[in-house]
Amino acid sequence: MRAGNLLRQLDQRLLPPLTRAVARLGDRSARSGVLTWAAVLSAAAVLGTAVWAVDDAPVGDRTVGEVTRVGVTDGDSVPGYLRSAAADLAGLPASAPSTGSGTYALVTLTDYLPPQRLSAVLGDVGVSTVFGRVPLPGRQTEIVRIPALRVPDDVVAGMEEVAARKAAEAADYRARAAAVDGAGAGERELRERYVSGAEVATAEAAAYRTGCACVYAAVVRAAPQVLRGVAARPDVRAVDPAPEVYRLDRTVFTPPLPEQRDVVRPPADTGPSPASAPDDAVESTPPAPAPLASVGESSEPAPVVTIPSPTPSSAESTEPPPPSVATSPDSTGAESPAPASS
């Protein structure tokens, strides 16, 4: 019942008896006492109604603004994370809190796998998302999240979308490079960065278009005993259960890359500069973008594949902003991964 309706009902029930009582009493002191009590009762009724109205207000979602993180961050020990994930999985009770038909978990793979290999690893569990990256040695390449409810079909379709986005990104970089005028050192450096970005984006597009071995992690949901079975499979590096996760849209998953083996560090680019690269480097081993500011220097995932690519710039632009740098692997980990299949 709304507060206004309740007040009207109180008026209808309390005021007529009080009016009759006042009419019967002729004594001034009696009238004063009755009016005083009437005022007290009315004030109490109004106060009680206000409190009731506040308590009866609908309660919103108390989890608004809360974000759960699952995985690693810069500076974390990778062996420590793997041990912690194994301990959490072993201690996960059969009645652990879960969403839907199981408990969410972050599955990290030992190496980059093509979509077809995922069926043997994740075929019997519910998959929400996979993480991919083109593993070019010493090159900075973007980490992408691909929604994948059906493995491997959705992964292949997602890679095709990433390939189209990367091709548009490469065209944008080339347009920006062509728009840079001048022969000074600053202009040359900016032009080289755009050219380098175009070359790397072209290589990424070619890799994803052919269904490269680029997937290295996935978000799954299954019962605890099923998750333990997944952890025992040859291609699985770790299964990090997250029974505290109830909503994927309020959860950030940051799996370690296969080549990150000691400590998660900011990215580094050890590839050759564009000036020293051969003319055919675009098709073989494209140079990486020059390191820029700390915009992309973290181990967190890049935006999902559905985010559109940059709008191609106009040829009349003379001072375009430098290209952004995506996430790269831990430069001081184990040996560099093999180039992506093409």
Side-chain angles (χ1 to χ4, degrees), residues 1 58 84 125 137 214 231 236 254-255 258 261 272 285-287 293 304 323 329:
M1 181 183 298
S84 176
V125 295
C214 298
V236 175
T254 54
R261 301 186 181 277
T285 56
V304 293

Side-chain angles (χ1 to χ4, degrees), residues 94-155:
S95 59
S98 62
T99 301
S101 59
T103 300
Y104 284 111
L106 176 61
V107 177
T108 304
L109 305 179
T110 58
D111 202 353
Y112 297 95
L113 298 181
Q116 291 73 19
R117 288 276 302 277
L118 297 177
S119 299
V121 180
L122 307 173
D124 58 346
V125 295
V127 181
S128 301
T129 304
V130 300
F131 293 84
R133 170 184 173 270
V134 178
L136 301 176
R139 304 298 194 269
Q140 292 182 342
T141 57
E142 182 185 6
I143 290 175
V144 296
R145 296 191 301 116
I146 302 177
L149 300 179
R150 299 173 304 164
V151 176
D153 295 343
D154 288 348
V155 181

Side-chain angles (χ1 to χ4, degrees), residues 265-318:
R265 297 181 176 88
D269 183 6
T270 59
S273 63
S276 62
D279 294 338
D280 59 350
V282 175
E283 297 299 330
S284 57
T285 56
L292 301 180
S294 59
V295 174
E297 294 184 356
S298 74
S299 61
E300 298 182 5
V304 293
V305 299
T306 53
I307 293 181
S309 60
T311 303
S313 58
S314 173
E316 287 78 14
S317 175
T318 57

Side-chain angles (χ1 to χ4, degrees), residues 238-273:
V239 174
D240 186 3
E244 71 277 11
V245 172
Y246 288 89
R247 294 187 55 171
L248 292 179
D249 60 341
R250 294 180 185 169
T251 306
V252 177
F253 294 93
T254 54
L257 299 173
E259 59 270 32
Q260 290 176 329
R261 301 186 181 277
D262 51 0
V263 175
V264 178
R265 297 181 176 88
D269 183 6
T270 59
S273 63

